[in-house]
Amino acid sequence: MDLEQPVIRISVRNLVEFILRAGDIDNRIASTDKDTMQLGSRIHRKIQKQMGPDYHAEISLKYEIPCKDFTLKLEGRADGIIELPEGIVIDEIKGVLRELNQIKEPVPVHLAQAMCYAYIYAASHNLPEIGVQMTYCNMETEEIKRFQSGYIFEDLERWFYELIGKYEKWARYQIQWKKKRDKSIKDVEFPFAYREGQKNLVTSVYRTILRKKKLFIQAPTGVGKTIATLFPAVKAVGEGLGDKIFYLTAKTITRTVAWQAFETLREQALRMKVIVLTAKDKICFCEETNCNPDHCPYAKGHFDRVNDAVYELLTSSDELNREILEEQARKWKVCPYEMSLDVAVWVDAIICDYNYVFDPQAHLRRFFGEGNKGDYLFLIDEAHNLVERGRQMYSASICKEDFLGIKKKVRYEDEKLTERLEDCNRGLLAMKRECEEYKVLNSVSHIYLKLLNLMTELERFLEECEKEDIREEVLEFYFHIRSFMDIHERLDENYVIYSELDGEGKFRVHLFCVNPAGNLGEFLQKGNSTIFFSATLLPITYYKKLLSTGKEDYAIYAESPFDVEHRLLMVGGDVSTKYTRRNEEMYQKYARYLWKLANGKKGNYLVFFPSYRFLEDVYEAFEKIQEKEELEVFPALGHRITCVTQSQSMSEKDREKFLNTFEEERKESLLGFCVMGGIFSEGIDLTEDKLIGAVIVGTGLPQVCREREILKDYFDQHGQRGFDYAYLYPGMNKVLQAAGRVIRTDEDRGVILLLDDRFFDRRYQETFPREWENQRSCSLGNMAEQIEEFWKKEKEEAQTVRRKE
């Protein structure tokens, strides 16, 4: 019999913030907590060093509370413990940006945190009484304001156990649910017959989790990578190798696929609570997302009710889909978005966008804030997208003209704020005079200090301003500046700082994260193991360098179960998308390729172009061919080829309409004209005869621009192939993604046509996946013959199969 009781760990800070929160959601109150901006650490250290020999800084405190059937372990770190002749005092330091005269008393949650530390220390040292000191420090002026209080141990103990009592039911729920969950996981088996290579994939994921490592998986379409990564992660949770799965992706469609995979496992009586996080503006009940009690009834008193709403939901249902979440939020009159984030704390798997984990402005502080860590398992789908998303999340910029715009808004409202804005503007103006087009900079710390001064006045203004229209603009500006300052704290060798005059003549300062691996790693280190996977993760070395700092990461190439004989891959070398060769004759040549392909076999085809301009030029040439030659050249067909085109400003309804055309029955072929890297080049599934061919026009290279050239120069200077890192690899990823639309299942049959002479270049060939080894070269003269031969062979094979059946 196992007599060892389970242990529930929680930090002091998380405990008090969870149990004692109350009141409204109010975005009009700009938070100044040290976690909101990581500016407080330096202030903490400075104050602690000034306090003398009786002051002991950063003291780790732990306390175990025996409960029925489990032990609650409370952990934290006191900022300071002061040994005075009259007794012990616990010091809690909070860095703030607002003026200290606005703070009349300690924030209740801050004081409760210090009181918990005081109780733990007093109980551990048998003290009859103990003091508490709240130290608030303005991070601009370094001015300090202190609040002091003393506590008799018996009173403090009574208060402490009342707090613990409110949390005990939540801890007990965790224990009881985990037993049910783990028991159900033991009986779960892989839900399908293993495809070729799939069992090896499942085993590799499990071993990686067991060893607490990272794994990069190149998994071609058809491997079944979603279930092959989820299943071993679920089994690992059941065996105590992880406690929560984060399934991360950049696309809505892949979130749906992940949810369906969990549903498949639930058919075996799996008990796991799974939630898909929906963006605030999509799940908000109000017409306008304005999170304050004056505009939203769900924001008013939200924190007074939300804990009860969450507890009821967790203890009454395993189902946590969007409809159920919304119904519960309406019942308790709480914000559905904020409630879903609270529910996420208690579930076993979270399916969400990358930004909930990695974005320094938007990540879930409950899991990834300062000091938080857990037994998380990260499954990162479509991981090729994380490179550019990471660069965006960890880069920031400011625009001189924005400061002038806000200054005009507030100059008659607030003199001190106007002065600070003008000071920042003067600093940026001096930099502008030294910048002709763009300039790489060593530092912008002088601007950072000016922004720090500005933030204090912005904080004050936002709390005092009663004109909603002005306040709204200033608040948006405030968040933008805060983001810039947060990124400035992260600056290291993975950044390039530069200023530029943009196309509109505006002056900007950029903090450009060229390699996001270190920043991503900061959050991944808070978990146990990470699995990166995608159908296009080539070359692996490129992605390993930009997504991980680990030297011992694993990598595998999942073999495709698809028979390559059922796919015709051709490379046309008599055309080019190079700017120097773009002309009417070349557009006509591309159009004739499309014409011959679409007439080789009736069906649906997608054509991907490097730009909208190129698309329009080829489309125009194609229409001329239709008008002039369709009945002359192919009188037996007798039908015009139907064309649909992607536009730059498609609404969600327009996108659906575009895709629906591929579902319709028709007598003629359908050509969809799209752009590479757009909404139709990845994440869509047109299986079997809904899509029988894809044409990739060009190598997908990003346009030459300042940012790309900075990337190129950076990697050249660091001994890497700069052109490949800045242009070739990102471009070829778009090519591989677009080509991947054709073969989605074992039953699919189709043609992939790569049209650009550069595809024969060795460097481009090196990025081709293994399953492209059977490529054929073609020209406009012999393409139709090869296509006819391929489809004839497919038809004969299909007839043979039917006869056998």
Short mmCIF file of all heavy atoms in Angstrom, two decimals, residues 246-300:
data_model
loop_
_atom_site.label_atom_id
_atom_site.label_comp_id
_atom_site.label_asym_id
_atom_site.label_seq_id
_atom_site.Cartn_x
_atom_site.Cartn_y
_atom_site.Cartn_z
N PHE A 246 0.67 21.68 -24.18
CA PHE A 246 0.37 22.88 -24.97
C PHE A 246 0.53 22.51 -26.44
O PHE A 246 1.63 22.20 -26.89
CB PHE A 246 1.33 24.03 -24.63
CG PHE A 246 1.00 24.74 -23.36
CD1 PHE A 246 1.52 24.29 -22.15
CD2 PHE A 246 0.17 25.85 -23.36
CE1 PHE A 246 1.22 24.94 -20.97
CE2 PHE A 246 -0.13 26.51 -22.18
CZ PHE A 246 0.39 26.06 -20.98
N TYR A 247 -0.59 22.50 -27.16
CA TYR A 247 -0.53 22.24 -28.61
C TYR A 247 -0.60 23.60 -29.29
O TYR A 247 -1.62 24.28 -29.27
CB TYR A 247 -1.70 21.36 -29.04
CG TYR A 247 -1.53 20.82 -30.45
CD1 TYR A 247 -1.11 19.51 -30.67
CD2 TYR A 247 -1.79 21.62 -31.57
CE1 TYR A 247 -0.94 19.01 -31.96
CE2 TYR A 247 -1.62 21.13 -32.85
CZ TYR A 247 -1.20 19.83 -33.03
OH TYR A 247 -1.04 19.34 -34.31
N LEU A 248 0.52 24.01 -29.89
CA LEU A 248 0.66 25.38 -30.40
C LEU A 248 0.69 25.39 -31.92
O LEU A 248 1.36 24.57 -32.54
CB LEU A 248 1.95 26.01 -29.86
CG LEU A 248 2.16 25.91 -28.36
CD1 LEU A 248 3.53 26.44 -27.98
CD2 LEU A 248 1.08 26.67 -27.62
N THR A 249 -0.02 26.35 -32.49
CA THR A 249 -0.07 26.44 -33.94
C THR A 249 -0.39 27.86 -34.36
O THR A 249 -0.90 28.65 -33.56
CB THR A 249 -1.12 25.47 -34.51
OG1 THR A 249 -1.20 25.64 -35.92
CG2 THR A 249 -2.48 25.72 -33.91
N ALA A 250 -0.10 28.17 -35.62
CA ALA A 250 -0.37 29.51 -36.14
C ALA A 250 -1.68 29.57 -36.90
O ALA A 250 -2.13 30.65 -37.28
CB ALA A 250 0.77 29.95 -37.07
N LYS A 251 -2.33 28.44 -37.15
CA LYS A 251 -3.50 28.38 -38.02
C LYS A 251 -4.72 27.84 -37.28
O LYS A 251 -4.62 26.90 -36.50
CB LYS A 251 -3.22 27.47 -39.23
CG LYS A 251 -2.01 27.88 -40.05
CD LYS A 251 -2.30 29.09 -40.90
CE LYS A 251 -1.10 29.45 -41.75
NZ LYS A 251 -1.31 30.65 -42.56
N THR A 252 -5.88 28.43 -37.58
CA THR A 252 -7.14 27.97 -36.99
C THR A 252 -7.45 26.54 -37.40
O THR A 252 -7.89 25.74 -36.57
CB THR A 252 -8.30 28.89 -37.43
OG1 THR A 252 -7.99 30.23 -37.05
CG2 THR A 252 -9.60 28.47 -36.78
N ILE A 253 -7.20 26.20 -38.67
CA ILE A 253 -7.53 24.86 -39.17
C ILE A 253 -6.77 23.78 -38.42
O ILE A 253 -7.31 22.71 -38.12
CB ILE A 253 -7.27 24.77 -40.69
CG1 ILE A 253 -7.72 23.41 -41.23
CG2 ILE A 253 -5.82 25.02 -41.03
CD1 ILE A 253 -9.20 23.19 -41.26
N THR A 254 -5.50 24.04 -38.08
CA THR A 254 -4.72 23.02 -37.37
C THR A 254 -5.15 22.91 -35.91
O THR A 254 -4.98 21.85 -35.29
CB THR A 254 -3.21 23.32 -37.46
OG1 THR A 254 -2.99 24.72 -37.37
CG2 THR A 254 -2.64 22.85 -38.77
N ARG A 255 -5.70 23.97 -35.34
CA ARG A 255 -6.27 23.87 -33.99
C ARG A 255 -7.48 22.93 -34.01
O ARG A 255 -7.69 22.14 -33.08
CB ARG A 255 -6.65 25.26 -33.46
CG ARG A 255 -5.44 26.14 -33.18
CD ARG A 255 -5.79 27.32 -32.31
NE ARG A 255 -6.37 28.42 -33.04
CZ ARG A 255 -5.67 29.33 -33.71
NH1 ARG A 255 -4.35 29.24 -33.77
NH2 ARG A 255 -6.28 30.33 -34.33
N THR A 256 -8.26 23.02 -35.07
CA THR A 256 -9.43 22.14 -35.22
C THR A 256 -8.98 20.68 -35.36
O THR A 256 -9.58 19.78 -34.75
CB THR A 256 -10.25 22.54 -36.46
OG1 THR A 256 -10.63 23.92 -36.33
CG2 THR A 256 -11.49 21.68 -36.62
N VAL A 257 -7.94 20.45 -36.13
CA VAL A 257 -7.42 19.08 -36.32
C VAL A 257 -6.94 18.51 -34.98
O VAL A 257 -7.17 17.34 -34.68
CB VAL A 257 -6.28 19.08 -37.37
CG1 VAL A 257 -5.59 17.72 -37.41
CG2 VAL A 257 -6.82 19.44 -38.74
N ALA A 258 -6.27 19.32 -34.19
CA ALA A 258 -5.78 18.86 -32.88
C ALA A 258 -6.95 18.51 -31.96
O ALA A 258 -6.92 17.48 -31.26
CB ALA A 258 -4.91 19.94 -32.24
N TRP A 259 -7.99 19.34 -31.96
CA TRP A 259 -9.18 19.07 -31.15
C TRP A 259 -9.81 17.73 -31.57
O TRP A 259 -10.19 16.91 -30.73
CB TRP A 259 -10.19 20.21 -31.30
CG TRP A 259 -11.49 19.97 -30.61
CD1 TRP A 259 -12.61 19.39 -31.13
CD2 TRP A 259 -11.83 20.28 -29.24
NE1 TRP A 259 -13.62 19.33 -30.19
CE2 TRP A 259 -13.17 19.87 -29.03
CE3 TRP A 259 -11.14 20.88 -28.20
CZ2 TRP A 259 -13.81 20.03 -27.81
CZ3 TRP A 259 -11.78 21.04 -26.98
CH2 TRP A 259 -13.10 20.63 -26.78
N GLN A 260 -9.90 17.51 -32.88
CA GLN A 260 -10.48 16.26 -33.39
C GLN A 260 -9.65 15.05 -32.98
O GLN A 260 -10.20 13.97 -32.73
CB GLN A 260 -10.62 16.34 -34.91
CG GLN A 260 -11.69 17.33 -35.37
CD GLN A 260 -11.62 17.64 -36.86
OE1 GLN A 260 -10.64 17.32 -37.53
NE2 GLN A 260 -12.67 18.26 -37.38
N ALA A 261 -8.33 15.22 -32.91
CA ALA A 261 -7.47 14.12 -32.48
C ALA A 261 -7.76 13.74 -31.02
O ALA A 261 -7.80 12.55 -30.68
CB ALA A 261 -6.00 14.51 -32.65
N PHE A 262 -7.95 14.74 -30.17
CA PHE A 262 -8.33 14.45 -28.78
C PHE A 262 -9.70 13.76 -28.72
O PHE A 262 -9.91 12.84 -27.92
CB PHE A 262 -8.38 15.74 -27.96
CG PHE A 262 -7.05 16.14 -27.38
CD1 PHE A 262 -6.39 17.27 -27.85
CD2 PHE A 262 -6.46 15.40 -26.38
CE1 PHE A 262 -5.16 17.66 -27.32
CE2 PHE A 262 -5.23 15.77 -25.84
CZ PHE A 262 -4.58 16.90 -26.32
N GLU A 263 -10.63 14.19 -29.58
CA GLU A 263 -11.95 13.57 -29.63
C GLU A 263 -11.84 12.10 -30.01
O GLU A 263 -12.56 11.25 -29.47
CB GLU A 263 -12.84 14.31 -30.63
CG GLU A 263 -13.27 15.71 -30.19
CD GLU A 263 -14.19 15.67 -28.99
OE1 GLU A 263 -15.33 15.21 -29.13
OE2 GLU A 263 -13.76 16.10 -27.89
N THR A 264 -10.93 11.79 -30.93
CA THR A 264 -10.71 10.40 -31.33
C THR A 264 -10.23 9.56 -30.15
O THR A 264 -10.69 8.43 -29.95
CB THR A 264 -9.67 10.33 -32.48
OG1 THR A 264 -10.16 11.08 -33.59
CG2 THR A 264 -9.40 8.91 -32.90
N LEU A 265 -9.33 10.12 -29.36
CA LEU A 265 -8.83 9.40 -28.18
C LEU A 265 -9.92 9.28 -27.11
O LEU A 265 -9.94 8.30 -26.35
CB LEU A 265 -7.60 10.11 -27.60
CG LEU A 265 -6.35 10.12 -28.51
CD1 LEU A 265 -5.23 10.92 -27.86
CD2 LEU A 265 -5.89 8.70 -28.81
N ARG A 266 -10.82 10.24 -27.04
CA ARG A 266 -11.91 10.19 -26.06
C ARG A 266 -12.87 9.03 -26.35
O ARG A 266 -13.60 8.58 -25.46
CB ARG A 266 -12.70 11.51 -26.07
CG ARG A 266 -12.04 12.61 -25.26
CD ARG A 266 -13.09 13.62 -24.79
NE ARG A 266 -12.47 14.78 -24.18
CZ ARG A 266 -12.23 15.91 -24.82
NH1 ARG A 266 -12.58 16.04 -26.08
NH2 ARG A 266 -11.66 16.93 -24.20
N GLU A 267 -12.88 8.58 -27.59
CA GLU A 267 -13.73 7.43 -27.93
C GLU A 267 -13.30 6.18 -27.19
O GLU A 267 -14.06 5.21 -27.10
CB GLU A 267 -13.70 7.19 -29.45
CG GLU A 267 -14.38 8.32 -30.24
CD GLU A 267 -14.18 8.18 -31.74
OE1 GLU A 267 -13.64 7.12 -32.18
OE2 GLU A 267 -14.55 9.11 -32.49
N GLN A 268 -12.07 6.18 -26.65
CA GLN A 268 -11.58 5.08 -25.82
C GLN A 268 -11.75 5.39 -24.33
O GLN A 268 -11.05 4.84 -23.49
CB GLN A 268 -10.11 4.82 -26.12
CG GLN A 268 -9.82 4.42 -27.56
CD GLN A 268 -8.33 4.13 -27.77
OE1 GLN A 268 -7.73 3.36 -27.03
NE2 GLN A 268 -7.75 4.77 -28.77
N ALA A 269 -12.66 6.30 -24.03
CA ALA A 269 -12.98 6.68 -22.64
C ALA A 269 -11.85 7.46 -21.98
O ALA A 269 -11.69 7.43 -20.74
CB ALA A 269 -13.34 5.45 -21.80
N LEU A 270 -11.03 8.17 -22.77
CA LEU A 270 -10.01 9.05 -22.20
C LEU A 270 -10.68 10.18 -21.43
O LEU A 270 -11.61 10.83 -21.93
CB LEU A 270 -9.15 9.64 -23.32
CG LEU A 270 -8.15 10.72 -22.91
CD1 LEU A 270 -7.04 10.13 -22.03
CD2 LEU A 270 -7.56 11.41 -24.13
N ARG A 271 -10.21 10.43 -20.23
CA ARG A 271 -10.70 11.56 -19.42
C ARG A 271 -9.61 12.63 -19.38
O ARG A 271 -8.70 12.59 -18.57
CB ARG A 271 -11.02 11.11 -17.98
CG ARG A 271 -12.05 10.03 -17.83
CD ARG A 271 -13.47 10.51 -18.07
NE ARG A 271 -13.88 11.61 -17.22
CZ ARG A 271 -14.37 11.48 -15.97
NH1 ARG A 271 -14.45 10.28 -15.42
NH2 ARG A 271 -14.76 12.54 -15.29
N MET A 272 -9.68 13.54 -20.29
CA MET A 272 -8.77 14.69 -20.29
C MET A 272 -9.58 15.93 -20.60
O MET A 272 -10.40 15.93 -21.51
CB MET A 272 -7.65 14.53 -21.32
CG MET A 272 -6.53 13.61 -20.92
SD MET A 272 -5.11 13.67 -22.06
CE MET A 272 -4.12 14.98 -21.33
N LYS A 273 -9.33 16.97 -19.83
CA LYS A 273 -9.99 18.25 -20.10
C LYS A 273 -9.11 19.04 -21.07
O LYS A 273 -7.94 19.29 -20.79
CB LYS A 273 -10.21 19.01 -18.80
CG LYS A 273 -11.21 18.32 -17.85
CD LYS A 273 -11.52 19.18 -16.65
CE LYS A 273 -12.33 18.42 -15.61
NZ LYS A 273 -13.71 18.17 -16.03
N VAL A 274 -9.70 19.41 -22.20
CA VAL A 274 -8.98 20.09 -23.27
C VAL A 274 -9.71 21.37 -23.60
O VAL A 274 -10.94 21.40 -23.69
CB VAL A 274 -8.91 19.20 -24.54
CG1 VAL A 274 -8.10 19.89 -25.63
CG2 VAL A 274 -8.33 17.84 -24.21
N ILE A 275 -8.96 22.45 -23.82
CA ILE A 275 -9.56 23.74 -24.16
C ILE A 275 -8.85 24.33 -25.37
O ILE A 275 -7.63 24.22 -25.50
CB ILE A 275 -9.51 24.72 -22.96
CG1 ILE A 275 -10.35 25.96 -23.24
CG2 ILE A 275 -8.09 25.10 -22.60
CD1 ILE A 275 -10.53 26.87 -22.02
N VAL A 276 -9.64 24.93 -26.26
CA VAL A 276 -9.09 25.72 -27.37
C VAL A 276 -9.28 27.18 -27.01
O VAL A 276 -10.42 27.62 -26.79
CB VAL A 276 -9.80 25.41 -28.71
CG1 VAL A 276 -9.23 26.28 -29.82
CG2 VAL A 276 -9.69 23.94 -29.06
N LEU A 277 -8.19 27.92 -26.92
CA LEU A 277 -8.30 29.34 -26.56
C LEU A 277 -8.67 30.16 -27.80
O LEU A 277 -8.03 30.06 -28.84
CB LEU A 277 -6.98 29.84 -25.97
CG LEU A 277 -6.60 29.23 -24.62
CD1 LEU A 277 -5.29 29.83 -24.11
CD2 LEU A 277 -7.69 29.41 -23.58
N THR A 278 -9.72 30.97 -27.64
CA THR A 278 -10.22 31.81 -28.73
C THR A 278 -9.84 33.25 -28.45
O THR A 278 -9.91 33.72 -27.31
CB THR A 278 -11.76 31.70 -28.83
OG1 THR A 278 -12.10 30.31 -28.98
CG2 THR A 278 -12.29 32.49 -30.01
N ALA A 279 -9.44 33.97 -29.49
CA ALA A 279 -9.01 35.37 -29.33
C ALA A 279 -10.11 36.21 -28.70
O ALA A 279 -11.31 35.96 -28.90
CB ALA A 279 -8.64 35.95 -30.69
N LYS A 280 -9.70 37.22 -27.94
CA LYS A 280 -10.64 38.05 -27.19
C LYS A 280 -11.71 38.69 -28.08
O LYS A 280 -12.91 38.65 -27.77
CB LYS A 280 -9.89 39.15 -26.43
CG LYS A 280 -10.80 40.03 -25.58
CD LYS A 280 -10.07 41.24 -25.01
CE LYS A 280 -9.11 40.86 -23.94
NZ LYS A 280 -8.53 42.04 -23.26
N ASP A 281 -11.29 39.26 -29.22
CA ASP A 281 -12.25 39.96 -30.06
C ASP A 281 -13.25 39.01 -30.73
O ASP A 281 -14.34 39.43 -31.13
CB ASP A 281 -11.54 40.80 -31.13
CG ASP A 281 -10.64 39.97 -32.03
OD1 ASP A 281 -10.31 38.83 -31.64
OD2 ASP A 281 -10.28 40.45 -33.11
N LYS A 282 -12.91 37.71 -30.80
CA LYS A 282 -13.84 36.75 -31.40
C LYS A 282 -14.83 36.19 -30.41
O LYS A 282 -15.96 35.84 -30.78
CB LYS A 282 -13.04 35.61 -32.04
CG LYS A 282 -12.28 36.02 -33.29
CD LYS A 282 -11.63 34.83 -33.96
CE LYS A 282 -10.92 35.26 -35.25
NZ LYS A 282 -10.25 34.12 -35.92
N ILE A 283 -14.44 36.08 -29.15
CA ILE A 283 -15.32 35.46 -28.16
C ILE A 283 -16.08 36.50 -27.32
O ILE A 283 -17.00 36.17 -26.59
CB ILE A 283 -14.53 34.50 -27.24
CG1 ILE A 283 -15.45 33.48 -26.59
CG2 ILE A 283 -13.72 35.27 -26.19
CD1 ILE A 283 -14.73 32.38 -25.84
N CYS A 284 -15.71 37.77 -27.46
CA CYS A 284 -16.35 38.84 -26.67
C CYS A 284 -17.85 38.92 -26.99
O CYS A 284 -18.26 38.85 -28.15
CB CYS A 284 -15.67 40.18 -26.98
SG CYS A 284 -16.38 41.57 -26.08
N PHE A 285 -18.68 39.09 -25.95
CA PHE A 285 -20.12 39.19 -26.12
C PHE A 285 -20.57 40.56 -26.62
O PHE A 285 -21.69 40.71 -27.11
CB PHE A 285 -20.83 38.90 -24.79
CG PHE A 285 -20.70 37.48 -24.32
CD1 PHE A 285 -20.67 37.19 -22.95
CD2 PHE A 285 -20.62 36.43 -25.22
CE1 PHE A 285 -20.57 35.88 -22.51
CE2 PHE A 285 -20.51 35.11 -24.78
CZ PHE A 285 -20.47 34.83 -23.42
N CYS A 286 -19.74 41.56 -26.46
CA CYS A 286 -20.13 42.93 -26.81
C CYS A 286 -19.77 43.26 -28.26
O CYS A 286 -18.85 42.66 -28.84
CB CYS A 286 -19.43 43.93 -25.88
SG CYS A 286 -19.80 43.64 -24.13
N GLU A 287 -20.48 44.20 -28.84
CA GLU A 287 -20.20 44.62 -30.22
C GLU A 287 -18.80 45.21 -30.33
O GLU A 287 -18.09 44.99 -31.29
CB GLU A 287 -21.23 45.66 -30.68
CG GLU A 287 -22.59 45.06 -31.00
CD GLU A 287 -23.55 46.07 -31.59
OE1 GLU A 287 -23.07 47.12 -32.08
OE2 GLU A 287 -24.76 45.83 -31.54
N GLU A 288 -18.41 45.97 -29.30
CA GLU A 288 -17.08 46.56 -29.27
C GLU A 288 -16.34 46.03 -28.05
O GLU A 288 -16.86 46.04 -26.94
CB GLU A 288 -17.19 48.09 -29.19
CG GLU A 288 -15.85 48.80 -29.24
CD GLU A 288 -15.99 50.31 -29.07
OE1 GLU A 288 -17.13 50.80 -29.03
OE2 GLU A 288 -14.95 50.97 -28.96
N THR A 289 -15.11 45.56 -28.27
CA THR A 289 -14.33 45.00 -27.17
C THR A 289 -13.73 46.14 -26.35
O THR A 289 -12.65 46.65 -26.66
CB THR A 289 -13.22 44.08 -27.70
OG1 THR A 289 -13.81 43.09 -28.54
CG2 THR A 289 -12.48 43.39 -26.57
N ASN A 290 -14.45 46.55 -25.33
CA ASN A 290 -14.00 47.64 -24.46
C ASN A 290 -14.12 47.16 -23.02
O ASN A 290 -15.20 47.16 -22.43
CB ASN A 290 -14.85 48.89 -24.69
CG ASN A 290 -14.19 50.15 -24.15
OD1 ASN A 290 -13.22 50.07 -23.40
ND2 ASN A 290 -14.70 51.30 -24.53
N CYS A 291 -12.99 46.71 -22.46
CA CYS A 291 -13.00 45.96 -21.20
C CYS A 291 -12.98 46.86 -19.97
O CYS A 291 -11.95 46.99 -19.30
CB CYS A 291 -11.83 44.99 -21.17
SG CYS A 291 -11.76 43.90 -22.59
N ASN A 292 -14.09 47.50 -19.69
CA ASN A 292 -14.22 48.23 -18.43
C ASN A 292 -15.68 48.21 -18.00
O ASN A 292 -16.58 48.00 -18.82
CB ASN A 292 -13.67 49.65 -18.56
CG ASN A 292 -14.49 50.53 -19.48
OD1 ASN A 292 -15.63 50.86 -19.16
ND2 ASN A 292 -13.93 50.89 -20.62
N PRO A 293 -15.94 48.38 -16.70
CA PRO A 293 -17.29 48.18 -16.17
C PRO A 293 -18.33 49.17 -16.68
O PRO A 293 -19.54 48.90 -16.59
CB PRO A 293 -17.09 48.34 -14.65
CG PRO A 293 -15.81 49.11 -14.50
CD PRO A 293 -14.96 48.70 -15.65
N ASP A 294 -17.91 50.31 -17.22
CA ASP A 294 -18.87 51.27 -17.76
C ASP A 294 -19.41 50.84 -19.11
O ASP A 294 -20.53 51.21 -19.50
CB ASP A 294 -18.23 52.65 -17.89
CG ASP A 294 -17.93 53.27 -16.52
OD1 ASP A 294 -18.50 52.77 -15.53
OD2 ASP A 294 -17.13 54.22 -16.46
N HIS A 295 -18.61 50.07 -19.86
CA HIS A 295 -19.02 49.66 -21.21
C HIS A 295 -19.49 48.21 -21.27
O HIS A 295 -20.25 47.85 -22.16
CB HIS A 295 -17.86 49.86 -22.20
CG HIS A 295 -17.61 51.27 -22.57
ND1 HIS A 295 -16.84 52.13 -21.81
CD2 HIS A 295 -18.07 52.01 -23.62
CE1 HIS A 295 -16.81 53.32 -22.38
NE2 HIS A 295 -17.53 53.28 -23.48
N CYS A 296 -19.01 47.37 -20.37
CA CYS A 296 -19.30 45.94 -20.47
C CYS A 296 -19.85 45.40 -19.15
O CYS A 296 -19.16 45.44 -18.13
CB CYS A 296 -18.03 45.18 -20.84
SG CYS A 296 -18.25 43.39 -20.87
N PRO A 297 -21.08 44.88 -19.14
CA PRO A 297 -21.65 44.33 -17.90
C PRO A 297 -20.91 43.09 -17.42
O PRO A 297 -20.97 42.75 -16.23
CB PRO A 297 -23.09 43.99 -18.30
CG PRO A 297 -23.06 43.84 -19.80
CD PRO A 297 -22.01 44.79 -20.28
N TYR A 298 -20.21 42.41 -18.33
CA TYR A 298 -19.47 41.21 -17.95
C TYR A 298 -18.14 41.56 -17.28
O TYR A 298 -17.54 40.72 -16.60
CB TYR A 298 -19.22 40.33 -19.18
CG TYR A 298 -20.51 39.88 -19.83
CD1 TYR A 298 -21.06 40.60 -20.90
CD2 TYR A 298 -21.20 38.77 -19.37
CE1 TYR A 298 -22.26 40.20 -21.49
CE2 TYR A 298 -22.39 38.36 -19.95
CZ TYR A 298 -22.91 39.08 -21.01
OH TYR A 298 -24.09 38.69 -21.58
N ALA A 299 -17.66 42.79 -17.48
CA ALA A 299 -16.44 43.24 -16.83
C ALA A 299 -16.72 43.68 -15.39
O ALA A 299 -15.87 43.56 -14.51
CB ALA A 299 -15.81 44.39 -17.62
N LYS A 300 -17.93 44.19 -15.16
CA LYS A 300 -18.28 44.72 -13.82
C LYS A 300 -18.43 43.56 -12.83
O LYS A 300 -19.24 42.66 -13.00
CB LYS A 300 -19.58 45.51 -13.90
CG LYS A 300 -19.90 46.26 -12.61
CD LYS A 300 -21.07 47.20 -12.81
CE LYS A 300 -21.37 47.99 -11.55
NZ LYS A 300 -20.23 48.83 -11.14
#
